[in-house]
Amino acid sequence: MTARFSLQPAAVAATIAVAVVIAAGTLATVAATRVATPVSNVQIDAWRMQGTATHAAWPVWRLRLAAAFGNAAAREALADVLVSSAQLHERREGVELYRQLALGSVPGARATLGHLLLRGLPGITPDYVESRRWLSESALHDPQAAYDLSTLYRNGYGVARDPRLAIRWLEQAAQAGVPLAQFQLANEYRFGTTLPHDDVLALQWLTRAASAELPEANLALAIAYRNGELGMARDEDAYWAHVKESEHDLKHVSRP
């Protein structure tokens, strides 16, 4: 004869109550641990790097837990990891989290969101209108945002093309040390499309971009030395030196 067991409603309620108490105790323990030993920014950066490099679940879980308990750095790191995820739903979650951070005036979040919406992500199309909103709010104090805003105005992405504004933001980004902006500004002076032709300024900005290890800048300098351009005499040794530099730069190139 098989014995059959069934829980009465009172027993079910008691079981649920016990589970709730255990869960509450667990959360209280985690919270107490966090207060006693707060997560360091070094640890958060480690989880960020592990999450973006390996896409493993455990660093993401740890960032989620720290963010849930109010750690602002963990929240921003979580957004960074999620937008690099291979999963579309996580990329969307990351963009939305950056949007919340931007609305909360978290430093850098507005510029990052503007950049993401300008470039788009796999499965997420660019939104130039919203991108311009966030970039416009960030460009005065964020060089990358200034460069991105220049890109919007130069190409007419979601707005009428405006070469004057494009150059204004491009110059600001170049002065602040953005290598791509320096290279682009060099080309503006070199070819005279928007700015007056000026080989001296073109060479100045091209050299600064090359010194920042931008591969295309070193390659452009190499060609200029080979052909005797930008007011320079032909120099075979300088040509090969910059070719080698461009090859070296390609091994370390990282684009935002």
Side-chain angles (χ1 to χ4, degrees), residues 9 22 26 35 44 57 61 77 93 101 120 124 145 191 196 223 229 236:
I22 293 173
T26 301
V35 172
I44 288 171
W61 179 84
E93 182 187 357
L101 292 168
I124 302 176
F191 301 112
I223 294 172
E229 299 168 342
E236 195 72 11

Side-chain angles (χ1 to χ4, degrees), residues 16 21 32 52 62 87 98 105 129 159 162 165 167-168 171 176 196 198 216 244:
I16 293 174
V21 169
T52 53
R62 290 186 175 185
Q87 304 298 320
Y98 262 122
S105 300
V129 174
V159 67
D162 191 326
L165 278 177
I167 290 296
R168 171 193 167 187
E171 288 178 332
D198 190 321
E216 48 264 63
K244 291 177 181 177

Side-chain angles (χ1 to χ4, degrees), residues 144-169:
Q144 182 61 49
Y147 176 71
D148 287 339
L149 195 56
S150 171
T151 300
L152 278 170
Y153 283 114
R154 184 178 70 253
N155 296 292
Y157 291 154
V159 67
R161 294 185 64 187
D162 191 326
R164 182 185 60 83
L165 278 177
I167 290 296
R168 171 193 167 187
W169 293 115

Side-chain angles (χ1 to χ4, degrees), residues 42-67:
V42 172
Q43 183 62 74
I44 288 171
D45 285 340
W47 292 338
R48 183 205 300 261
M49 288 187 292
Q50 290 160 353
T52 53
T54 68
H55 300 293
W58 67 269
V60 177
W61 179 84
R62 290 186 175 185
L63 286 172
R64 286 188 186 279
L65 186 61

Side-chain angles (χ1 to χ4, degrees), residues 5-20:
F5 301 92
S6 62
L7 292 175
Q8 297 302 314
V12 172
T15 302
I16 293 174
V18 171
V20 169

